[in-house]
Amino acid sequence: MERTLIILKPDAVQRRLIGRVIQRFEDKGLAIVGMKLMHISRELAERHYAPHKGKPFYPGLIDYITRGPVVVMVLAGERCIEIARALMGKTFGYEAAPGTIRGDFSAGRTFNLVHGSDSPESAAAEIALYFKPADLLEYTPAGSEWVFARNDV
Ligand code: IDP
Ligand code: MG
């Protein structure tokens, strides 16, 4: 089963949107297989956002993601990387479609509430930054058989 790393960024926590953002992923039928509240250190932020090092927004991005507590989650489900990115919406809140998390709750560029891995490779690397394999649970939420068909051709 595919997995992805999701972070509810500091603005989501400070704006008391944790429940409403998690609800979007649960409503879609994705399983939460790991979750914690934590404060990301500068060192961890620099590892996570290494691909963006050198870009003009990089210093502001590191300040933002380390500025307060975040909720870090691993979601599981078929095509969950693509599905989570679609639920999140485009990067900038003012471009994200209404109905998406960013389209409904974010209006700017840096502050966009949520992170989601963008490929199987980045998902594996990012999950390993935040969770030990033993922290991730193997279970199938009740009703999953009505979300993912056995032979979904
Ligand atoms: P993504 O989060 O939609 O995958 P990325 O391009 O990977 O977008 O950028 C990582 C994060 O950096 C974004 O979510 C946003 O917080 C911030 N960011 C990206 N581009 C800009 C920018 O041009 N100005 C300010 N912040 C940016
Ligand atoms: Mg990205």
Side-chain angles (χ1 to χ4, degrees), residues 17-31:
L17 291 170
I18 295 171
R20 292 166 80 184
V21 174
I22 292 177
Q23 189 75 61
R24 304 282 176 114
F25 297 113
E26 285 197 300
D27 285 347
K28 191 72 171 174
L30 302 178

Side-chain angles (χ1 to χ4, degrees), residues 9 49 52 57 61 64 85 91-92 102 109-110 112:
K9 295 176 174 180
Y49 282 123
H52 292 304
F57 62 85
L61 176 58
Y64 163 44
R85 298 275 299 182
T91 301
F92 303 142
R102 288 164 167 175
R109 289 162 85 87
T110 302
N112 60 5

Side-chain angles (χ1 to χ4, degrees), residues 14-15 26 28 33 38 44 47 53 59 86 103 120 137 139:
Q14 296 297 328
R15 291 176 57 198
E26 285 197 300
K28 191 72 171 174
V33 299
M38 65 178 287
L44 180 55
R47 289 174 69 191
K53 197 169 174 152
L137 308 185
Y139 73 106

Side-chain angles (χ1 to χ4, degrees), residues 5-83:
L5 184 88
I6 299 295
I7 302 177
L8 310 192
K9 295 176 174 180
D11 48 340
V13 175
Q14 296 297 328
R15 291 176 57 198
R16 305 171 204 273
L17 291 170
I18 295 171
R20 292 166 80 184
V21 174
I22 292 177
Q23 189 75 61
R24 304 282 176 114
F25 297 113
E26 285 197 300
D27 285 347
K28 191 72 171 174
L30 302 178
I32 301 168
V33 299
M35 180 157 71
K36 62 183 170 186
L37 184 71
M38 65 178 287
H39 201 128
I40 298 180
S41 67
R42 280 196 94 77
E43 190 210 341
L44 180 55
E46 284 168 6
R47 289 174 69 191
H48 180 120
Y49 282 123
H52 292 304
K53 197 169 174 152
K55 295 184 185 169
F57 62 85
Y58 176 80
L61 176 58
I62 299 297
D63 284 348
Y64 163 44
I65 204 71
T66 59
R67 192 161 147 189
V70 298
V71 175
V72 191
M73 303 190 295
V74 176
L75 300 181
E78 281 172 33
R79 300 186 185 83
C80 69
I81 295 171
E82 178 190 346
I83 290 171

Side-chain angles (χ1 to χ4, degrees), residues 76-135:
E78 281 172 33
R79 300 186 185 83
C80 69
I81 295 171
E82 178 190 346
I83 290 171
R85 298 275 299 182
L87 292 174
M88 288 159 52
K90 283 190 177 179
T91 301
F92 303 142
Y94 56 87
E95 287 178 353
T100 65
I101 295 164
R102 288 164 167 175
D104 286 351
F105 298 115
S106 150
R109 289 162 85 87
T110 302
F111 292 177
N112 60 5
L113 295 156
V114 64
H115 167 83
S117 307
D118 63 8
S119 67
E121 296 71 31
S122 62
E126 291 173 3
I127 289 168
L129 287 177
Y130 295 91
F131 293 95
K132 300 189 199 86
D135 293 336

